mmCIF file of all heavy atoms in Angstrom:
data_model
loop_
_atom_site.group_PDB
_atom_site.id
_atom_site.type_symbol
_atom_site.label_atom_id
_atom_site.label_comp_id
_atom_site.label_asym_id
_atom_site.label_seq_id
_atom_site.Cartn_x
_atom_site.Cartn_y
_atom_site.Cartn_z
ATOM 1 N N HIS A 267 -24.890 -77.668 244.815
ATOM 2 C CA HIS A 267 -24.708 -77.166 243.443
ATOM 3 C C HIS A 267 -24.696 -75.634 243.484
ATOM 4 O O HIS A 267 -24.933 -75.031 244.520
ATOM 5 C CB HIS A 267 -25.807 -77.688 242.513
ATOM 6 C CG HIS A 267 -27.198 -77.401 242.982
ATOM 7 N ND1 HIS A 267 -27.903 -76.300 242.605
ATOM 8 C CD2 HIS A 267 -28.002 -78.069 243.855
ATOM 9 C CE1 HIS A 267 -29.072 -76.291 243.174
ATOM 10 N NE2 HIS A 267 -29.175 -77.357 243.957
ATOM 11 N N HIS A 268 -24.375 -75.005 242.338
ATOM 12 C CA HIS A 268 -24.194 -73.545 242.285
ATOM 13 C C HIS A 268 -23.191 -73.093 243.357
ATOM 14 O O HIS A 268 -23.418 -72.104 244.054
ATOM 15 C CB HIS A 268 -25.525 -72.806 242.478
ATOM 16 C CG HIS A 268 -26.467 -72.959 241.315
ATOM 17 N ND1 HIS A 268 -27.289 -74.057 241.171
ATOM 18 C CD2 HIS A 268 -26.699 -72.172 240.240
ATOM 19 C CE1 HIS A 268 -27.995 -73.931 240.069
ATOM 20 N NE2 HIS A 268 -27.653 -72.810 239.475
ATOM 21 N N MET A 269 -22.116 -73.818 243.489
ATOM 22 C CA MET A 269 -21.101 -73.480 244.510
ATOM 23 C C MET A 269 -20.302 -72.259 244.038
ATOM 24 O O MET A 269 -19.730 -72.254 242.950
ATOM 25 C CB MET A 269 -20.175 -74.672 244.758
ATOM 26 C CG MET A 269 -20.910 -75.896 245.290
ATOM 27 S SD MET A 269 -19.864 -77.350 245.480
ATOM 28 C CE MET A 269 -18.981 -76.943 246.978
ATOM 29 N N LYS A 270 -20.283 -71.236 244.860
ATOM 30 C CA LYS A 270 -19.575 -70.000 244.533
ATOM 31 C C LYS A 270 -18.718 -69.576 245.722
ATOM 32 O O LYS A 270 -18.952 -69.986 246.848
ATOM 33 C CB LYS A 270 -20.570 -68.875 244.216
ATOM 34 C CG LYS A 270 -21.574 -69.191 243.114
ATOM 35 C CD LYS A 270 -20.923 -69.191 241.760
ATOM 36 C CE LYS A 270 -21.970 -69.434 240.662
ATOM 37 N NZ LYS A 270 -21.355 -69.596 239.345
ATOM 38 N N ARG A 271 -17.772 -68.730 245.430
ATOM 39 C CA ARG A 271 -17.016 -68.104 246.518
ATOM 40 C C ARG A 271 -16.818 -66.625 246.170
ATOM 41 O O ARG A 271 -16.664 -66.258 244.994
ATOM 42 C CB ARG A 271 -15.683 -68.807 246.742
ATOM 43 C CG ARG A 271 -14.661 -68.638 245.596
ATOM 44 C CD ARG A 271 -13.703 -67.525 245.901
ATOM 45 N NE ARG A 271 -12.931 -67.141 244.723
ATOM 46 C CZ ARG A 271 -11.626 -67.230 244.646
ATOM 47 N NH1 ARG A 271 -10.949 -67.696 245.658
ATOM 48 N NH2 ARG A 271 -10.989 -66.802 243.569
ATOM 49 N N THR A 272 -16.817 -65.779 247.206
ATOM 50 C CA THR A 272 -16.586 -64.351 247.041
ATOM 51 C C THR A 272 -15.514 -63.911 248.023
ATOM 52 O O THR A 272 -15.514 -64.362 249.179
ATOM 53 C CB THR A 272 -17.890 -63.563 247.303
ATOM 54 O OG1 THR A 272 -18.918 -64.069 246.454
ATOM 55 C CG2 THR A 272 -17.692 -62.078 247.013
ATOM 56 N N LEU A 273 -14.622 -63.064 247.575
ATOM 57 C CA LEU A 273 -13.556 -62.545 248.438
ATOM 58 C C LEU A 273 -13.742 -61.055 248.649
ATOM 59 O O LEU A 273 -14.121 -60.335 247.720
ATOM 60 C CB LEU A 273 -12.184 -62.804 247.802
ATOM 61 C CG LEU A 273 -11.771 -64.259 247.600
ATOM 62 C CD1 LEU A 273 -10.478 -64.336 246.814
ATOM 63 C CD2 LEU A 273 -11.618 -64.959 248.936
ATOM 64 N N LYS A 274 -13.475 -60.600 249.864
ATOM 65 C CA LYS A 274 -13.493 -59.172 250.177
ATOM 66 C C LYS A 274 -12.291 -58.875 251.062
ATOM 67 O O LYS A 274 -12.133 -59.494 252.115
ATOM 68 C CB LYS A 274 -14.795 -58.772 250.882
ATOM 69 C CG LYS A 274 -16.030 -58.865 250.003
ATOM 70 C CD LYS A 274 -17.268 -58.391 250.728
ATOM 71 C CE LYS A 274 -18.494 -58.451 249.816
ATOM 72 N NZ LYS A 274 -19.717 -58.011 250.514
ATOM 73 N N SER A 275 -11.466 -57.955 250.618
ATOM 74 C CA SER A 275 -10.229 -57.673 251.364
ATOM 75 C C SER A 275 -10.241 -56.274 251.948
ATOM 76 O O SER A 275 -10.892 -55.364 251.417
ATOM 77 C CB SER A 275 -9.016 -57.864 250.441
ATOM 78 O OG SER A 275 -9.157 -57.087 249.276
ATOM 79 N N LYS A 276 -9.517 -56.105 253.048
ATOM 80 C CA LYS A 276 -9.393 -54.807 253.718
ATOM 81 C C LYS A 276 -7.957 -54.661 254.197
ATOM 82 O O LYS A 276 -7.375 -55.609 254.746
ATOM 83 C CB LYS A 276 -10.375 -54.746 254.888
ATOM 84 C CG LYS A 276 -10.403 -53.403 255.591
ATOM 85 C CD LYS A 276 -11.511 -53.344 256.641
ATOM 86 C CE LYS A 276 -11.189 -54.220 257.831
ATOM 87 N NZ LYS A 276 -12.175 -54.068 258.921
ATOM 88 N N ILE A 277 -7.396 -53.476 254.010
ATOM 89 C CA ILE A 277 -6.010 -53.218 254.422
ATOM 90 C C ILE A 277 -5.985 -52.060 255.400
ATOM 91 O O ILE A 277 -6.531 -50.983 255.107
ATOM 92 C CB ILE A 277 -5.119 -52.909 253.196
ATOM 93 C CG1 ILE A 277 -5.131 -54.078 252.220
ATOM 94 C CG2 ILE A 277 -3.690 -52.600 253.638
ATOM 95 C CD1 ILE A 277 -4.372 -53.806 250.946
ATOM 96 N N GLU A 278 -5.366 -52.275 256.557
ATOM 97 C CA GLU A 278 -5.179 -51.213 257.547
ATOM 98 C C GLU A 278 -3.710 -51.224 257.963
ATOM 99 O O GLU A 278 -3.284 -52.106 258.718
ATOM 100 C CB GLU A 278 -6.088 -51.426 258.749
ATOM 101 C CG GLU A 278 -7.570 -51.208 258.435
ATOM 102 C CD GLU A 278 -8.461 -51.371 259.654
ATOM 103 O OE1 GLU A 278 -7.941 -51.786 260.715
ATOM 104 O OE2 GLU A 278 -9.664 -51.095 259.542
ATOM 105 N N GLY A 279 -2.963 -50.280 257.432
ATOM 106 C CA GLY A 279 -1.532 -50.255 257.717
ATOM 107 C C GLY A 279 -0.850 -51.480 257.135
ATOM 108 O O GLY A 279 -0.958 -51.770 255.944
ATOM 109 N N GLU A 280 -0.170 -52.240 257.981
ATOM 110 C CA GLU A 280 0.501 -53.464 257.533
ATOM 111 C C GLU A 280 -0.397 -54.690 257.614
ATOM 112 O O GLU A 280 -0.015 -55.778 257.193
ATOM 113 C CB GLU A 280 1.746 -53.707 258.402
ATOM 114 C CG GLU A 280 2.853 -52.692 258.198
ATOM 115 C CD GLU A 280 3.454 -52.775 256.796
ATOM 116 O OE1 GLU A 280 3.705 -53.909 256.339
ATOM 117 O OE2 GLU A 280 3.656 -51.726 256.165
ATOM 118 N N ASN A 281 -1.589 -54.517 258.204
ATOM 119 C CA ASN A 281 -2.489 -55.654 258.400
ATOM 120 C C ASN A 281 -3.433 -55.842 257.208
ATOM 121 O O ASN A 281 -4.070 -54.885 256.765
ATOM 122 C CB ASN A 281 -3.320 -55.467 259.675
ATOM 123 C CG ASN A 281 -2.434 -55.364 260.907
ATOM 124 O OD1 ASN A 281 -1.433 -56.087 261.033
ATOM 125 N ND2 ASN A 281 -2.778 -54.465 261.823
ATOM 126 N N VAL A 282 -3.505 -57.077 256.728
ATOM 127 C CA VAL A 282 -4.406 -57.428 255.627
ATOM 128 C C VAL A 282 -5.451 -58.401 256.163
ATOM 129 O O VAL A 282 -5.111 -59.442 256.723
ATOM 130 C CB VAL A 282 -3.647 -58.086 254.463
ATOM 131 C CG1 VAL A 282 -4.614 -58.467 253.345
ATOM 132 C CG2 VAL A 282 -2.567 -57.157 253.931
#
Side-chain angles (χ1 to χ4, degrees):
H267 55 93
H268 290 83
M269 298 176 77
K270 305 287 183 187
R271 68 97 193 241
T272 305
L273 297 173
K274 292 183 178 179
S275 54
K276 184 173 71 174
I277 301 175
E278 290 182 353
E280 292 294 315
N281 300 320
V282 179

